[in-house]
Amino acid sequence: MTSPTIAPEPSRETRPLPADHPLVGGRTTRSPLVRALRGDRPDVTPVWFMRQAGRSLPEYREVRQGVGMLDSCLRPPLAAEITLQPVRRHQVDAAVFFSDIVVPLRLAGVDVDIKPGVGPVMDQPYRTAEDVARLTSRTLDDGALAPIAEAVRLTVAELGDVPLLGFGGAPFTLAAYLVEGRPSRDHLAARTLMHADPETWARLTAWTAELTGRFLRTQVLAGASAVQLFDSWAGSLSLADYTAHVAPSSTAALAHVADLRAPGDDGGLPAIHFGTGTGHLLPALRDVLDAAGVTHPAVGVDYRTPLDEAAALLADHPRGAVPVQGNIDPALLGAPWPVLEAHVRDVVARGAGAPGHVVNLGHGVPPDTDPTVLTRVVELVHAL
């Protein structure tokens, strides 16, 4: 059996963004989101919501009628329209590209579907060295990514000075779905493979890192002004397992965009690393961004860890503190307004200790959320 490909040390060479990119032309450079992610404190605290483009919006349900989830992601005009909907309705400070973390798998030829009420389901679990060898022989070329680039271009053309945030799933989460074959609560099969056959595990996560990295880079080159790497299941891991078996692949994924720069000393691309249940991993998430060569790193914090505590954990670093994102508890979106308002004010106050703060939820928007509540949250944050 051949040895798995080990991700090379991220290159510190820089490559210019396209001349028509929003960060190059200055359209989004002074936006509250980009300024906050670069460690600034704009007059208005920026806010956007994970899963802001989704089932909570009636206009989303209308345009998605009769169209499967992954098909929606791969129809550029439809993906662009869905991405724009929450910006029009809520006046959020960023659009997040409408997609799904398993889209790169589909584009590489993996038989995966999003089952309603279940989530991503594979054609089979990939649990043996032979399974993984067959899987990782597939490639993701620029032609397959063309619908992603086109959707981003269509979106950016309509956004004006509002930045688009690129989106991708972390290699561990993709690998966990592949090994389990479907969503899992404990990711037991994935964690077993990690230890029972570390060579096969390394090959699998190197491959998922390549897919996510190319997916992110396509979005940035087409016009995204920042990216977020989303690790849904990293919270199931110990710090030791994360550091040894997961961090290298996340570093490799982010390295695909860390070299892209706009002109000027401050022209690096901002990148956010977020995971759920990762309070014990926050410094490790930051270290991944640093190892990848990201010049403007930020860490997303879920609702379990108060932002002031997270900021303190993240301040202990040779490069200094980093901006934070979060972390309104999604459960409180259904609470009476005075309860939610007090919580939002507390989140903003606790985020004041970080160099920059992007207000967001500590996870995604629940499908049954009243969209008028999200609009009120945006108005409140901007007023503060």
Side-chain angles (χ1 to χ4, degrees), residues 24 43 67 73 153 216 248 263 281 303 314 327:
V24 174
D43 294 338
V67 184
C73 298
R153 284 192 288 266
L216 289 172
L281 300 177
Y303 59 89
L314 294 166
N327 65 347

Side-chain angles (χ1 to χ4, degrees), residues 249-266:
S249 59
S250 289
T251 298
L254 286 164
H256 280 262
V257 296
D259 63 327
L260 299 172
R261 291 184 62 88
D265 295 337
D266 203 34

Side-chain angles (χ1 to χ4, degrees), residues 253-317:
L254 286 164
H256 280 262
V257 296
D259 63 327
L260 299 172
R261 291 184 62 88
D265 295 337
D266 203 34
L269 184 81
I272 308 159
H273 198 357
F274 174 78
T276 56
T278 50
H280 62 302
L281 300 177
L282 292 177
L285 300 183
R286 175 207 57 205
D287 291 348
V288 162
L289 292 158
D290 191 51
V294 173
T295 56
H296 294 292
V299 175
V301 183
D302 81 354
Y303 59 89
R304 298 170 179 86
T305 305
L307 278 187
D308 52 343
E309 296 180 15
L313 285 171
L314 294 166
D316 183 19
H317 189 265

Side-chain angles (χ1 to χ4, degrees), residues 129-153:
E130 292 74 21
D131 290 338
V132 171
R134 288 195 305 272
L135 183 68
T136 56
S137 66
R138 308 176 193 213
T139 58
L140 180 55
D141 58 31
D142 290 341
L145 287 162
I148 305 303
E150 178 62 14
V152 171
R153 284 192 288 266

Side-chain angles (χ1 to χ4, degrees), residues 60-68:
Y60 168 84
R61 296 192 295 270
E62 181 179 350
V63 298
R64 272 283 318 278
Q65 284 186 2
V67 184

